[in-house]
Each structure stands twice: as structure tokens, then as C-alpha cells.
């Protein structure tokens, strides 16, 4: 149930932010796809390790860490929401629009062009998500030598994707010759 909630809340966040532009530059999307492309493989490996630690950790430790994480997240979200609410009620929604707030969500066609410009990082992130999702459907017994090989292959694949993403960004950042 918690994994379903996390997946669907992530999808809602993605749909909410995917067509928005960066608050300081209209030429950039709100989501930094290149950064996501670099960080996502490490995050996927961390999730795999976290799942294994969850299985061997005592319930009280898992519950305490969950409460701590949720408490910190709630406080940060509540503070940000309160600041936004004060900003909108003080100056009205018109002032908040000038400050590029969330009074209205406009999906403009220029944002779709921005997504096309970042299609390689988006494709890499999608491949990472699919690899992580599909890697859960295995019949390998935990704590066996096959499982160690399986984990090694997964971690090497994620490291390879991170290396390839870094090389792609280096080549993309080099000035064009000729």
C-alpha cells in the first residue's frame, strides 16, 4: 500500500511539474532533467539497499525512521505552504502570478518544445525506472550467490548508466566545432 501511494503521488507530482517552466528562466523546464538523469541510478541502487535493510531491521527501527522522515517532510511542506498562503493572501493571486506562483497552471505549447529538447535525459530516466521496476520480478532466492550476482549486475548497470549520462552531458557541453 505504501509503495502504491509513493508511486501515484510521484506520478501526480510529475504531471504537475512537467509542463511548468523554471521560475527564473523561461527557456528552462522546471524539472532539471539532466540532474535527474545523473542522480536517478544512484537513487535506484539506494532503494534496493533500503529494501534489503528493511527486511532485516527490527520493526521499531523502521517505524522510528519512518516517523522521523515523515515528521521532517511534514514540517517542511507545512512551512512552505504557509509561506505561499501568506504571500497569496497578502498581495492576492495577481501579485502571486507576477512572482510566478501556483495560482494557475498554464500548459503552453512552448513547454512541450522544452520537453522535446530534453528527450534524451527523459528517455534515460524512463529506462532507469523500467529497469528498476522489472528487476523486481525475479525468482532468485535472497542471500544466495545468484542474488549477489543479480545485485552486482544491477549496480554495475546503474553505474554504467550514470557514467554514460555524464559522458553525454560532457559532450553536449563542449562547444561545437566548425
Amino acid at each position: 500500500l505504501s509503495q502504491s501511494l509513493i508511486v501515484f503521488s510521484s506520478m501526480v507530482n510529475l504531471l504537475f511539474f512537467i509542463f511548468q517552466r523554471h521560475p527564473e528562466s523561461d527557456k528552462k523546464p522546471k524539472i532539471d532533467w539532466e540532474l535527474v538523469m545523473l542522480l536517478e541510478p544512484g537513487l535506484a541502487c539506494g532503494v534496493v539497499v533500503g529494501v534489503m535493510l528493511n527486511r532485516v531491521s527490527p520493526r521499531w527501527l523502521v517505524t522510528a525512521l519512518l516517523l522521523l522522515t515523515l515528521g521532517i517532510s511534514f514540517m517542511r511542506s507545512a512551512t512552505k505552504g504557509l509561506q505561499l498562503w501568506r504571500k497569496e493572501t497578502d498581495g492576492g493571486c495577481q501579485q502571486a502570478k507576477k512572482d510566478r506562483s501556483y495560482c494557475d497552471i498554464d500548459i503552453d505549447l512552448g513547454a512541450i518544445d522544452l520537453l522535446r529538447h530534453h528527450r534524451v535525459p527523459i528517455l534515460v530516466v524512463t529506462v532507469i525506472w523500467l529497469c528498476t521496476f522489472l528487476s523486481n520480478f525475479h525468482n532468485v532466492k535472497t542471500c544466495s550467490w545468484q542474488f549477489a550476482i543479480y545485485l552486482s549486475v544491477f549496480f554495475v548497470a546503474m553505474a554504467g548508466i550514470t557514467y554514460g549520462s555524464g559522458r553525454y552531458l560532457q559532450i553536449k557541453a563542449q562547444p561545437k566545432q566548425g
Side-chain angles (χ1 to χ4, degrees):
L1 181 63
S2 66
Q3 290 177 354
S4 297
L5 288 173
I6 291 169
V7 166
F8 287 114
S9 67
S10 298
M11 292 169 92
V12 167
N13 278 331
L14 178 65
L15 291 174
F16 185 75
F17 290 121
I18 196 166
F19 295 110
Q20 292 185 8
R21 294 175 185 260
H22 192 275
E24 297 173 3
S25 173
D26 284 340
K27 298 190 186 306
K28 294 181 183 178
K30 187 148 199 165
I31 299 172
D32 187 351
W33 290 106
E34 293 160 349
L35 181 66
V36 173
M37 178 177 67
L38 284 175
L39 294 180
E40 194 66 28
L43 179 65
C45 292
V47 167
V48 169
V49 171
V51 168
M52 291 188 315
L53 287 175
N54 182 32
R55 290 183 181 166
V56 297
S57 298
R59 285 274 183 227
W60 65 267
L61 179 63
V62 173
T63 304
L65 290 174
L66 180 63
L67 287 174
L68 179 69
T69 304
L70 289 176
I72 292 170
S73 296
F74 174 77
M75 291 302 294
R76 292 179 72 191
S77 296
T79 304
K80 179 109 175 165
L82 188 61
Q83 288 173 350
L84 185 61
W85 178 74
R86 284 183 182 152
K87 188 177 188 179
E88 288 177 355
T89 55
D90 288 345
C93 199
Q94 293 301 327
Q95 180 63 29
K97 279 186 180 179
K98 289 180 187 173
D99 296 337
R100 301 189 60 82
S101 184
Y102 303 110
C103 290
D104 271 334
I105 299 173
D106 297 323
I107 298 177
D108 60 321
L109 297 177
I112 295 173
D113 288 336
L114 282 175
L115 292 177
R116 278 194 208 121
H117 178 69
H118 295 286
R119 67 180 170 265
V120 172
I122 292 171
L123 178 66
V124 170
V125 169
T126 305
V127 166
I128 294 167
W129 287 344
L130 285 173
C131 287
T132 305
F133 177 72
L134 294 175
S135 71
N136 289 308
F137 299 104
H138 61 80
N139 293 327
V140 179
K141 185 179 176 189
T142 314
C143 297
S144 65
W145 65 271
Q146 292 99 341
F147 190 71
I149 291 173
Y150 156 77
L151 280 181
S152 299
V153 168
F154 181 77
F155 289 149
V156 167
M158 292 298 121
I161 290 172
T162 303
Y163 177 77
S165 299
R167 290 292 301 148
Y168 167 78
L169 292 175
Q170 281 180 335
I171 291 169
K172 183 179 170 188
Q174 289 178 351
K176 305 251 186 222
Q177 303 284 329

